[in-house]
Amino acid sequence: MQVKVESSLVHTTMSKASQVKHEQEEPKDSNFYVDNFLSMDMDNDGKYFGIDEFSNQEDHKPKSAKVGRHSYITQQGEEDLNLGALDGILDEIDEVEGDDAAQSLAAACKDYLLDLDFTQEISALNHRPSDKIRIGNSSSDSHSPRCSGSSNGAVVMSESSAGTDPEHNGRDGTCKVSVNYEMNVYGRDQHGHAQQSGVINHLTSSNIGEPNELWNMTTIRAAVHYDGRNSFAEASVDDMDLRQKRQRKPTRRYIEESTEPKLSRSLHTREKLVNTTSKGQRPRGRPPGPLRSMMPGMMTSLPMEEESSEGVGIGTSSRASSEKGLVEKHENCSEDELGESSFEDESEDEITRNRPKKSGDRRKQQRMWTLPEVVKLVDGISEFGVGRWTQIKRLSFAASPYRTPIDLRDKWRNLLRASCALKPNNGTTGPEKNSGRLLPKSLLRRVHELASLHPYPRRGASKSSLLSVGKKGASGRNLRRRSSA
DNA sequence: TTTAGGG
DNA sequence: CCCTAAA
């Protein structure tokens, strides 16, 4: 005869976190305690709690399993105690129970404490999953590692703990929760008598504000008695105060929140970003607050939607040619101007992309500007004029959803600064990208020209040089300036 | 809604 | 990049 209580114990040694996770995976939230316990057991044994099997027993006697006020008689056959029944019972009970905020609150408290105490205390037992407590004649097999009496394979363990969770003292004042857990497994080998039982006693009381509010006590008991010829199995679950409904909800939500608040938000954000490729404006999200500033401008994306993958990422190797057949490499363009030919289809790099980014802040993405992009920007500015960011965006950067008009402006600002500093030649004007300060000198030159043509803030400074401007190829008639003041 | 500026 | 003010 074997009692597999230990498997339960083993599971309970899981860290708090994993245990919680486990709970979350469970489909039903009812019967937290019982369910939880049983399910843990089931992980290893299938569906039987406590008694795994009766070795050498041919004749089993029907035993009774009592659950709450119900009483069930189960056949002992191969299936010993099927606590699945208990499960069902409890479900019923739960249904009867009411459901209100206070309860969930209490549930949260209990869950909390339960995780805390139960887990930690039981972990002391440190059983191995495969351990079996064998009793009866086969004491040789009995394992009850650092627990207690072992000569006869007895394991006794009981724990009780109480605590209060200040966090839930909220509105109603106090919330007291006490959890009492007790497990008792023992086998006795006396005169051909073997007896073992597993008892789980869980006592919980929650008190919120008013006395009597919540009170719950659950006792699960599974025992097998073997008198040498027959074995009896018995299981009972007593649940007092059925008003109470244990809801995992609070806990789960709490966990989720505390665990990964940012990530989730971040994901949403990103999702939104991707989805908004629709033509017009980005969907005005719901919470205008934080998310709003995603892409002020708009992406009139159309041609290729999303982004074309190009290999010129600064940080990463180019993953040229992904799906678009038109991938072009602009490496060579670093040369003087690729001037007017502009409008080649976009080629954006895609270095930093869809990375969950654990840090999860809500910043956009920080895409490095590639040289082709810069060139495009400059061309665009040449063509439409400084300050016409939205136009430039629309016409020159239509293919890149990111890069808002504001981004263009910012980039331009930076270019101006760079051009002033004018330290182009660092030799490394390589075809690569302009990471940092290495921009093709030609480009800087253009920037400089443009800058002189019309100072950035196209506001107060009207430029005279509207005529002579020989913008490089920038469309013969350079910027159609609204010189009109 | 878009720009300009500043952080 | 983000945010805010001004237009």
Side-chain angles (χ1 to χ4, degrees), chain A residues 87-132:
Chain A
D87 222 45
I89 307 305
L90 289 179
D91 279 350
E92 292 177 17
I93 293 173
D94 266 36
E95 289 174 359
V96 175
E97 299 169 356
D99 180 15
D100 71 342
Q103 289 176 354
S104 44
L105 191 60
C109 294
K110 289 192 298 182
D111 287 356
Y112 177 73
L113 290 176
L114 192 57
D115 289 344
L116 214 67
D117 302 326
F118 190 50
T119 299
Q120 134 180 43
E121 289 165 356
I122 290 183
S123 64
L125 291 174
N126 189 24
H127 284 274
R128 292 194 310 276
S130 56
D131 282 346
K132 289 189 191 299

Short mmCIF file of all heavy atoms in Angstrom, two decimals, chain A residues 87-132:
data_model
loop_
_atom_site.label_atom_id
_atom_site.label_comp_id
_atom_site.label_asym_id
_atom_site.label_seq_id
_atom_site.Cartn_x
_atom_site.Cartn_y
_atom_site.Cartn_z
N ASP A 87 -14.15 16.87 -5.96
CA ASP A 87 -14.06 18.08 -6.75
C ASP A 87 -15.44 18.54 -7.14
O ASP A 87 -15.82 19.67 -6.99
CB ASP A 87 -13.26 17.77 -8.00
CG ASP A 87 -12.31 18.87 -8.28
OD1 ASP A 87 -11.67 19.31 -7.33
OD2 ASP A 87 -12.23 19.30 -9.43
N GLY A 88 -16.14 17.62 -7.68
CA GLY A 88 -17.46 17.96 -8.13
C GLY A 88 -18.30 18.49 -7.00
O GLY A 88 -19.01 19.48 -7.13
N ILE A 89 -18.18 17.86 -5.91
CA ILE A 89 -18.96 18.28 -4.76
C ILE A 89 -18.65 19.72 -4.44
O ILE A 89 -19.55 20.53 -4.25
CB ILE A 89 -18.58 17.47 -3.52
CG1 ILE A 89 -18.68 16.00 -3.83
CG2 ILE A 89 -19.48 17.86 -2.38
CD1 ILE A 89 -20.00 15.60 -4.37
N LEU A 90 -17.43 19.94 -4.39
CA LEU A 90 -17.06 21.30 -4.03
C LEU A 90 -17.57 22.30 -5.02
O LEU A 90 -17.92 23.42 -4.69
CB LEU A 90 -15.55 21.39 -3.91
CG LEU A 90 -15.06 20.65 -2.69
CD1 LEU A 90 -13.56 20.73 -2.62
CD2 LEU A 90 -15.69 21.23 -1.45
N ASP A 91 -17.59 21.88 -6.22
CA ASP A 91 -18.11 22.79 -7.22
C ASP A 91 -19.52 23.16 -6.85
O ASP A 91 -19.92 24.31 -6.90
CB ASP A 91 -18.11 22.12 -8.59
CG ASP A 91 -16.72 22.19 -9.19
OD1 ASP A 91 -15.88 22.92 -8.62
OD2 ASP A 91 -16.48 21.55 -10.21
N GLU A 92 -20.23 22.15 -6.52
CA GLU A 92 -21.61 22.41 -6.16
C GLU A 92 -21.68 23.41 -5.03
O GLU A 92 -22.44 24.35 -5.04
CB GLU A 92 -22.28 21.11 -5.71
CG GLU A 92 -22.45 20.11 -6.83
CD GLU A 92 -23.05 18.84 -6.31
OE1 GLU A 92 -23.60 18.88 -5.20
OE2 GLU A 92 -22.96 17.84 -6.99
N ILE A 93 -20.88 23.11 -4.10
CA ILE A 93 -20.89 23.98 -2.94
C ILE A 93 -20.60 25.41 -3.34
O ILE A 93 -21.26 26.33 -2.93
CB ILE A 93 -19.81 23.53 -1.95
CG1 ILE A 93 -20.22 22.18 -1.39
CG2 ILE A 93 -19.70 24.55 -0.84
CD1 ILE A 93 -19.16 21.55 -0.53
N ASP A 94 -19.66 25.50 -4.18
CA ASP A 94 -19.30 26.85 -4.58
C ASP A 94 -20.43 27.57 -5.25
O ASP A 94 -20.63 28.75 -5.09
CB ASP A 94 -18.12 26.77 -5.55
CG ASP A 94 -16.84 26.94 -4.78
OD1 ASP A 94 -16.80 26.43 -3.66
OD2 ASP A 94 -15.93 27.58 -5.28
N GLU A 95 -21.11 26.82 -6.02
CA GLU A 95 -22.20 27.47 -6.73
C GLU A 95 -23.21 28.06 -5.77
O GLU A 95 -23.85 29.04 -6.05
CB GLU A 95 -22.88 26.45 -7.62
CG GLU A 95 -22.00 26.07 -8.81
CD GLU A 95 -22.63 24.95 -9.59
OE1 GLU A 95 -23.70 24.50 -9.19
OE2 GLU A 95 -22.04 24.54 -10.59
N VAL A 96 -23.33 27.38 -4.70
CA VAL A 96 -24.29 27.85 -3.74
C VAL A 96 -23.84 29.13 -3.09
O VAL A 96 -24.63 29.95 -2.67
CB VAL A 96 -24.47 26.79 -2.64
CG1 VAL A 96 -25.38 27.32 -1.55
CG2 VAL A 96 -25.01 25.52 -3.26
N GLU A 97 -22.59 29.23 -3.05
CA GLU A 97 -22.05 30.37 -2.35
C GLU A 97 -22.30 31.69 -3.04
O GLU A 97 -22.45 31.77 -4.24
CB GLU A 97 -20.55 30.18 -2.19
CG GLU A 97 -20.26 28.96 -1.40
CD GLU A 97 -18.81 28.64 -1.48
OE1 GLU A 97 -18.11 29.33 -2.21
OE2 GLU A 97 -18.40 27.72 -0.79
N GLY A 98 -22.31 32.66 -2.22
CA GLY A 98 -22.54 33.99 -2.76
C GLY A 98 -21.29 34.53 -3.40
O GLY A 98 -20.30 33.86 -3.50
N ASP A 99 -21.37 35.73 -3.74
CA ASP A 99 -20.21 36.28 -4.41
C ASP A 99 -20.19 37.78 -4.19
O ASP A 99 -21.00 38.50 -4.67
CB ASP A 99 -20.35 35.98 -5.89
CG ASP A 99 -19.17 36.52 -6.64
OD1 ASP A 99 -18.19 36.84 -5.98
OD2 ASP A 99 -19.25 36.63 -7.86
N ASP A 100 -19.29 38.20 -3.45
CA ASP A 100 -19.21 39.65 -3.29
C ASP A 100 -17.79 40.10 -3.06
O ASP A 100 -16.88 39.32 -2.86
CB ASP A 100 -20.13 40.11 -2.16
CG ASP A 100 -19.57 39.67 -0.84
OD1 ASP A 100 -18.72 38.77 -0.84
OD2 ASP A 100 -19.97 40.23 0.17
N ALA A 101 -17.64 41.33 -3.15
CA ALA A 101 -16.31 41.91 -3.07
C ALA A 101 -15.54 41.48 -1.85
O ALA A 101 -14.38 41.11 -1.92
CB ALA A 101 -16.42 43.43 -3.07
N ALA A 102 -16.19 41.51 -0.77
CA ALA A 102 -15.52 41.16 0.48
C ALA A 102 -14.91 39.79 0.36
O ALA A 102 -13.82 39.53 0.83
CB ALA A 102 -16.52 41.20 1.62
N GLN A 103 -15.63 38.96 -0.28
CA GLN A 103 -15.13 37.61 -0.39
C GLN A 103 -13.87 37.55 -1.20
O GLN A 103 -12.93 36.87 -0.85
CB GLN A 103 -16.20 36.73 -1.03
CG GLN A 103 -17.34 36.52 -0.07
CD GLN A 103 -18.45 35.74 -0.73
OE1 GLN A 103 -18.39 35.48 -1.92
NE2 GLN A 103 -19.44 35.39 0.04
N SER A 104 -13.91 38.23 -2.26
CA SER A 104 -12.71 38.17 -3.08
C SER A 104 -11.53 38.75 -2.32
O SER A 104 -10.41 38.31 -2.44
CB SER A 104 -12.91 38.93 -4.37
OG SER A 104 -13.54 40.14 -4.13
N LEU A 105 -11.86 39.69 -1.54
CA LEU A 105 -10.79 40.30 -0.77
C LEU A 105 -10.20 39.27 0.15
O LEU A 105 -9.01 39.08 0.24
CB LEU A 105 -11.38 41.44 0.06
CG LEU A 105 -10.36 42.33 0.71
CD1 LEU A 105 -9.50 42.96 -0.37
CD2 LEU A 105 -11.07 43.38 1.51
N ALA A 106 -11.08 38.63 0.79
CA ALA A 106 -10.62 37.61 1.73
C ALA A 106 -9.85 36.55 0.99
O ALA A 106 -8.84 36.06 1.44
CB ALA A 106 -11.82 36.99 2.43
N ALA A 107 -10.38 36.22 -0.14
CA ALA A 107 -9.72 35.18 -0.90
C ALA A 107 -8.30 35.57 -1.21
O ALA A 107 -7.38 34.78 -1.11
CB ALA A 107 -10.48 34.95 -2.20
N ALA A 108 -8.17 36.80 -1.56
CA ALA A 108 -6.84 37.28 -1.89
C ALA A 108 -5.92 37.12 -0.69
O ALA A 108 -4.80 36.66 -0.81
CB ALA A 108 -6.90 38.75 -2.28
N CYS A 109 -6.44 37.49 0.42
CA CYS A 109 -5.63 37.39 1.63
C CYS A 109 -5.22 35.96 1.87
O CYS A 109 -4.08 35.65 2.15
CB CYS A 109 -6.42 37.90 2.83
SG CYS A 109 -6.77 39.64 2.75
N LYS A 110 -6.18 35.14 1.72
CA LYS A 110 -5.89 33.76 2.01
C LYS A 110 -4.88 33.19 1.04
O LYS A 110 -3.97 32.49 1.41
CB LYS A 110 -7.17 32.94 1.96
CG LYS A 110 -8.06 33.25 3.14
CD LYS A 110 -9.14 32.23 3.22
CE LYS A 110 -9.99 32.31 1.97
NZ LYS A 110 -11.10 31.37 2.02
N ASP A 111 -5.11 33.50 -0.15
CA ASP A 111 -4.19 32.99 -1.14
C ASP A 111 -2.79 33.41 -0.79
O ASP A 111 -1.85 32.65 -0.86
CB ASP A 111 -4.53 33.56 -2.52
CG ASP A 111 -5.79 32.92 -3.05
OD1 ASP A 111 -6.30 32.02 -2.36
OD2 ASP A 111 -6.24 33.32 -4.11
N TYR A 112 -2.74 34.61 -0.46
CA TYR A 112 -1.44 35.15 -0.13
C TYR A 112 -0.78 34.38 0.98
O TYR A 112 0.32 33.88 0.87
CB TYR A 112 -1.61 36.60 0.27
CG TYR A 112 -0.33 37.24 0.70
CD1 TYR A 112 0.62 37.55 -0.26
CD2 TYR A 112 -0.08 37.51 2.02
CE1 TYR A 112 1.81 38.14 0.12
CE2 TYR A 112 1.09 38.09 2.40
CZ TYR A 112 2.04 38.41 1.46
OH TYR A 112 3.20 38.99 1.84
N LEU A 113 -1.52 34.27 2.03
CA LEU A 113 -0.95 33.59 3.17
C LEU A 113 -0.69 32.13 2.87
O LEU A 113 0.29 31.56 3.32
CB LEU A 113 -1.89 33.70 4.35
CG LEU A 113 -1.96 35.11 4.89
CD1 LEU A 113 -2.98 35.18 5.98
CD2 LEU A 113 -0.59 35.51 5.40
N LEU A 114 -1.57 31.62 2.15
CA LEU A 114 -1.43 30.22 1.86
C LEU A 114 -0.14 29.97 1.12
O LEU A 114 0.64 29.10 1.45
CB LEU A 114 -2.60 29.77 1.00
CG LEU A 114 -2.74 28.27 0.87
CD1 LEU A 114 -2.86 27.68 2.25
CD2 LEU A 114 -3.93 27.94 0.03
N ASP A 115 0.04 30.74 0.15
CA ASP A 115 1.26 30.57 -0.62
C ASP A 115 2.46 30.68 0.27
O ASP A 115 3.40 29.94 0.19
CB ASP A 115 1.35 31.66 -1.69
CG ASP A 115 0.31 31.41 -2.75
OD1 ASP A 115 -0.21 30.29 -2.79
OD2 ASP A 115 0.05 32.34 -3.51
N LEU A 116 2.36 31.64 1.06
CA LEU A 116 3.49 31.94 1.91
C LEU A 116 3.80 30.82 2.88
O LEU A 116 4.85 30.23 2.87
CB LEU A 116 3.14 33.18 2.71
CG LEU A 116 4.31 34.06 2.97
CD1 LEU A 116 4.76 34.63 1.65
CD2 LEU A 116 3.88 35.16 3.91
N ASP A 117 2.85 30.60 3.71
CA ASP A 117 3.11 29.67 4.78
C ASP A 117 3.20 28.22 4.36
O ASP A 117 4.14 27.52 4.68
CB ASP A 117 2.03 29.81 5.83
CG ASP A 117 1.99 31.22 6.32
OD1 ASP A 117 3.07 31.84 6.38
OD2 ASP A 117 0.92 31.70 6.61
N PHE A 118 2.22 27.85 3.69
CA PHE A 118 2.15 26.46 3.34
C PHE A 118 3.38 26.04 2.56
O PHE A 118 4.07 25.10 2.89
CB PHE A 118 0.90 26.23 2.50
CG PHE A 118 0.61 24.78 2.31
CD1 PHE A 118 0.59 23.94 3.39
CD2 PHE A 118 0.39 24.29 1.04
CE1 PHE A 118 0.32 22.59 3.20
CE2 PHE A 118 0.11 22.96 0.86
CZ PHE A 118 0.08 22.11 1.93
N THR A 119 3.62 26.76 1.60
CA THR A 119 4.75 26.44 0.75
C THR A 119 6.03 26.33 1.54
O THR A 119 6.74 25.36 1.47
CB THR A 119 4.95 27.56 -0.27
OG1 THR A 119 3.78 27.65 -1.05
CG2 THR A 119 6.13 27.25 -1.13
N GLN A 120 6.23 27.38 2.23
CA GLN A 120 7.51 27.44 2.89
C GLN A 120 7.67 26.41 3.99
O GLN A 120 8.73 25.86 4.17
CB GLN A 120 7.62 28.86 3.40
CG GLN A 120 8.08 29.02 4.77
CD GLN A 120 8.11 30.50 5.04
OE1 GLN A 120 7.18 31.18 4.65
NE2 GLN A 120 9.11 30.99 5.63
N GLU A 121 6.62 26.17 4.66
CA GLU A 121 6.78 25.21 5.73
C GLU A 121 6.93 23.79 5.23
O GLU A 121 7.73 23.02 5.72
CB GLU A 121 5.57 25.29 6.64
CG GLU A 121 5.61 26.59 7.41
CD GLU A 121 4.30 26.90 8.03
OE1 GLU A 121 3.36 26.14 7.80
OE2 GLU A 121 4.22 27.87 8.76
N ILE A 122 6.14 23.50 4.31
CA ILE A 122 6.20 22.15 3.83
C ILE A 122 7.49 21.85 3.11
O ILE A 122 7.94 20.73 3.06
CB ILE A 122 5.03 21.88 2.90
CG1 ILE A 122 3.79 21.85 3.76
CG2 ILE A 122 5.20 20.57 2.20
CD1 ILE A 122 2.56 21.53 3.01
N SER A 123 8.03 22.86 2.60
CA SER A 123 9.25 22.63 1.84
C SER A 123 10.30 21.95 2.70
O SER A 123 11.20 21.32 2.21
CB SER A 123 9.79 23.96 1.34
OG SER A 123 10.15 24.76 2.43
N ALA A 124 10.14 22.09 3.93
CA ALA A 124 11.10 21.48 4.84
C ALA A 124 11.16 19.98 4.66
O ALA A 124 12.16 19.34 4.91
CB ALA A 124 10.74 21.82 6.27
N LEU A 125 10.08 19.48 4.25
CA LEU A 125 10.05 18.03 4.11
C LEU A 125 10.96 17.54 3.00
O LEU A 125 11.58 16.52 3.09
CB LEU A 125 8.63 17.57 3.83
CG LEU A 125 7.72 17.77 5.03
CD1 LEU A 125 6.31 17.44 4.63
CD2 LEU A 125 8.19 16.88 6.15
N ASN A 126 10.94 18.31 1.99
CA ASN A 126 11.85 17.99 0.92
C ASN A 126 11.74 16.55 0.42
O ASN A 126 12.69 15.80 0.44
CB ASN A 126 13.26 18.25 1.42
CG ASN A 126 14.22 18.15 0.29
OD1 ASN A 126 13.86 18.34 -0.86
ND2 ASN A 126 15.45 17.86 0.61
N HIS A 127 10.63 16.25 -0.06
CA HIS A 127 10.47 14.90 -0.58
C HIS A 127 10.78 14.86 -2.04
O HIS A 127 10.66 15.82 -2.72
CB HIS A 127 9.02 14.46 -0.42
CG HIS A 127 8.69 14.10 0.98
ND1 HIS A 127 8.92 12.87 1.50
CD2 HIS A 127 8.16 14.83 1.98
CE1 HIS A 127 8.51 12.85 2.76
NE2 HIS A 127 8.05 14.02 3.06
N ARG A 128 11.09 13.73 -2.44
CA ARG A 128 11.29 13.59 -3.87
C ARG A 128 9.97 13.13 -4.46
O ARG A 128 9.21 12.44 -3.82
CB ARG A 128 12.36 12.54 -4.15
CG ARG A 128 13.71 12.99 -3.71
CD ARG A 128 14.75 12.07 -4.31
NE ARG A 128 14.42 10.66 -4.08
CZ ARG A 128 14.74 10.05 -2.97
NH1 ARG A 128 15.35 10.69 -2.02
NH2 ARG A 128 14.44 8.78 -2.83
N PRO A 129 9.77 13.49 -5.66
CA PRO A 129 8.50 13.20 -6.30
C PRO A 129 8.19 11.71 -6.29
O PRO A 129 7.07 11.29 -6.23
CB PRO A 129 8.71 13.68 -7.73
CG PRO A 129 9.85 14.61 -7.65
CD PRO A 129 10.68 14.21 -6.49
N SER A 130 9.16 10.95 -6.42
CA SER A 130 8.89 9.54 -6.56
C SER A 130 8.83 8.81 -5.22
O SER A 130 8.56 7.63 -5.15
CB SER A 130 9.99 8.90 -7.40
OG SER A 130 11.23 9.18 -6.80
N ASP A 131 9.07 9.53 -4.24
CA ASP A 131 9.05 8.87 -2.94
C ASP A 131 7.69 8.28 -2.64
O ASP A 131 6.67 8.83 -2.97
CB ASP A 131 9.37 9.87 -1.84
CG ASP A 131 10.84 10.12 -1.81
OD1 ASP A 131 11.57 9.33 -2.44
OD2 ASP A 131 11.25 11.07 -1.18
N LYS A 132 7.72 7.25 -1.99
CA LYS A 132 6.45 6.67 -1.58
C LYS A 132 6.57 6.25 -0.14
O LYS A 132 7.61 5.81 0.31
CB LYS A 132 6.15 5.43 -2.41
CG LYS A 132 5.79 5.74 -3.83
CD LYS A 132 5.31 4.48 -4.48
CE LYS A 132 5.18 4.66 -5.97
NZ LYS A 132 4.27 5.67 -6.32
#
